[in-house]
Amino acid sequence: MRITIDEDRCCAAGQCVLAAPDVFDQRDDDGIVILLDADPGPDQHAAVRDAAAACPAAAIMVEE
Amino acid sequence: MVVVGASAAGVAVVETLRREGFDGPISLIGAELELPYDRPPLSKRMLSGQWTAERTVLRPRATVEGWNTDLRLATRAVRVDAAARRVILDDGDELAYGDLVIATGVRPRLLPGLPQVPGVHVLRTLADAVALRDALTDGPRLVVVGAGFLGAEAAAVACELGADVTLVSDLEAPLADVLGPELAGMLLDEHGRRGVRVETGVRADEVLVADGRASGVRLVDGRILPADEILVAIGAVPETGWLDGSGVPVGNGVFCDATCSAAPGVWAAGDVASWEHPGLGERIRLEHRTNAGEQGMAVARNLLAARAGRPATPFAPVPYVWSDQYDLTIQIYGRPRPGDALRIVEGSTAERSLVALHGRDGRVRAATGINRPRQTRAARALVARAAPWETGSAPEHGEREGVPA
């Protein structure tokens, strides 16, 4: 799995952190997404796909 | 499988169906010409010109093609026969379905008798946004009728583009029914500080026309606001007309049960779906982008569960909406109502950065954040568990939040 983030699209909703808190975080000042792990293990894959699907700004891309 | 509506909710349905292993045929029907695109930017960075239209696509073309669907754009479903399980399209085609997902969204509500003349705008589609953006280039006088999320955002963008903007709010301040008087008052001040005139506590009566184009707005108190361009942003109505006589229950939206099922083999997701929210104990319909994605995912999973003879799961999200106005990012979890108690637990209106809780019936019912995204997300947990109002003050650090349903 390879995760890429489009920071310019990110709207700081934090839905990704709710779905996959081990993979995503938010910056303190503006809430923009921080990618903690661009290639997480299989135990995270379902959560990451949920995060990408739930992102209201379509800012998370997942390649497998 | 037929999914009617190719915006955020319809896309989430298709994407989730494929992700969960459904490999049968799917028809995805979209009324608009473009590949599925995202609507929040239409009143934000698309309207401001920072983004081109291409930037608003929901998924890259290769991803959409990878779903291997029978994608029919610029096509409308005009009728459903729920007993025969068939959808009839405007090009005369008929599609049989095992399951139908209704994700047709909403259309702008119009003022009664609104003239269809140049200078009159609504803002729902990409074409609407392009037309309004093009109309704002020469610093026109713009009257925005309606100061909900859409109207307030468009007013902010137009003001920053140099338009002479008047915002007409039927409440005492923009979004006062959602934010409450204190936070809405801050928003009112912000619009005023930026140079937007806000007419509060008054409705528009009619759009005036001169020489075949819009010339102003008459308010119900008789005053006339001269205008070159007018944006009507007074809410939206569910796109359910095509379901009349279908046997699918329709009222204010498609009436669904708690699992988003409206009839055997019929489901609804997104702005058009009205469902019994099990946590809130009431029927709700949300016109928010995040819900479209979450509900689309939930419907896909419930539909597959029903097919497999497994029980469907009630859909019980914590509603979330955000709004960008000037340099303010406003984020709301839950469903605040007029009359809720309000407690600012971090920051202040003076700092233009805060987290506030909305209380009702002794419980935390909603949380609003302004320019504090991370801290606002922490407050979501208080909303999710309806924390007691008296003790639910600042979010506890390290409190583990639930995953969205």
Side-chain angles (χ1 to χ4, degrees):
Chain A
M1 172 175 279
R2 185 81 202 159
I3 307 168
T4 50
I5 296 294
D6 187 341
E7 267 191 26
D8 179 50
R9 295 182 80 113
C10 177
C11 64
Q15 297 296 110
C16 54
V17 189
L18 294 169
D22 295 327
V23 178
F24 302 100
D25 199 352
Q26 286 177 280
R27 295 203 296 241
D28 263 327
D29 54 343
D30 59 5
I32 298 298
V33 61
I34 300 170
L35 184 57
L36 301 174
D37 185 352
D39 182 18
D43 61 317
Q44 292 293 324
H45 287 186
V48 168
R49 290 187 204 104
D50 271 1
C55 174
I60 301 168
M61 274 66 64
V62 178
E63 289 172 73
E64 306 191 51
Chain B
M1 190 91 67
V2 175
V3 179
V4 182
S7 194
V11 160
V13 171
V14 171
E15 197 167 51
T16 306
L17 286 171
R18 290 304 189 216
R19 190 146 65 80
E20 301 283 329
F22 176 77
D23 59 4
I26 303 175
S27 291
L28 178 59
I29 314 301
E32 294 179 66
L33 190 63
E34 299 87 359
L35 275 181
Y37 63 87
D38 214 2
R39 296 190 197 279
L42 302 186
S43 56
K44 303 180 176 77
R45 285 190 281 183
M46 168 69 203
L47 187 61
S48 70
Q50 289 168 281
W51 278 19
T52 60
E54 292 71 34
R55 194 88 172 90
T56 64
V57 293
L58 269 173
R59 299 288 184 268
R61 178 177 290 274
T63 303
V64 174
E65 287 170 356
W67 296 331
N68 192 25
T69 61
D70 164 33
L71 175 62
R72 303 185 187 209
L73 297 175
T75 304
R76 285 178 181 274
V78 291
R79 205 158 54 82
V80 173
D81 184 338
R85 295 203 175 194
R86 298 183 78 80
V87 176
I88 296 89
L89 306 179
D90 62 355
D91 58 12
D93 250 10
E94 292 195 23
L95 302 173
Y97 64 82
D99 284 284
L100 167 67
V101 181
I102 299 165
T104 40
V106 293
R107 64 174 185 278
R109 179 179 292 129
L110 302 178
L111 289 166
L114 182 71
Q116 301 292 315
V117 294
V120 173
H121 300 265
V122 294
L123 185 46
R124 177 68 188 170
T125 67
L126 199 49
D128 294 338
V130 170
L132 182 59
R133 187 188 64 191
D134 290 350
L136 293 175
T137 48
D138 295 328
R141 294 168 300 173
L142 171 73
V143 172
V144 179
V145 179
F149 289 106
L150 189 70
E153 287 185 2
V157 169
C159 172
E160 289 178 326
L161 289 175
D164 175 14
V165 183
T166 305
L167 179 60
V168 180
S169 171
D170 60 346
L171 304 171
E172 70 269 27
L175 290 165
D177 53 338
V178 180
L179 296 175
E182 188 174 355
L183 302 185
M186 175 192 159
L187 202 53
L188 177 65
D189 291 344
E190 186 67 23
H191 281 279
R193 199 169 69 80
R194 301 279 184 164
V196 171
R197 279 182 303 279
V198 188
E199 297 290 348
T200 60
V202 68
R203 287 171 183 270
D205 185 27
E206 73 171 319
V207 166
L208 305 174
V209 178
D211 299 328
R213 65 167 293 132
S215 64
V217 173
R218 190 203 319 272
L219 303 178
V220 290
D221 60 14
R223 284 180 298 151
I224 289 173
L225 306 174
D228 305 303
E229 309 290 339
I230 294 158
L231 171 63
V232 178
I234 54 171
V237 290
E239 281 282 13
T240 56
W242 63 289
L243 297 168
D244 290 346
S246 66
V248 176
V250 166
N252 175 21
V254 176
F255 276 18
C256 301
D257 66 13
T259 69
C260 307
S261 170
V266 181
W267 310 78
D271 294 4
V272 78
S274 162
W275 88 103
E276 300 275 358
H277 190 299
L280 300 177
E282 60 180 345
R283 172 173 292 284
I284 66 169
R285 187 174 66 77
L286 297 177
E287 294 175 357
H288 299 321
R289 169 64 179 86
T290 310
N291 187 65
E294 290 182 352
Q295 197 165 21
M297 280 196 277
V299 161
R301 286 176 175 149
N302 279 345
L303 182 164
L304 294 176
R307 285 190 169 205
R310 289 181 281 116
T313 306
F315 179 57
V318 176
Y320 171 77
V321 60
W322 86 98
S323 178
D324 297 325
Q325 297 173 39
Y326 311 104
D327 58 348
L328 301 177
T329 293
I330 302 159
Q331 301 177 295
I332 304 168
Y333 290 103
R335 301 257 292 164
R337 283 191 200 156
D340 284 355
L342 187 89
R343 184 161 67 224
I344 295 176
V345 293
E346 288 186 40
S348 66
T349 55
E351 293 168 65
R352 305 169 76 256
S353 169
L354 58 85
V355 178
L357 302 178
H358 305 253
R360 186 167 67 244
D361 304 329
R363 299 278 171 179
V364 176
R365 301 298 180 183
T368 295
I370 298 178
N371 286 355
R372 291 203 182 201
R374 212 164 183 279
Q375 296 87 337
T376 306
R377 178 167 52 76
R380 176 190 185 275
L382 301 173
V383 180
R385 61 181 168 83
W389 176 246
E390 290 310 323
T391 55
S393 56
E396 296 153 39
H397 285 289
E399 183 160 12
R400 191 74 174 181
E401 293 147 83
V403 171

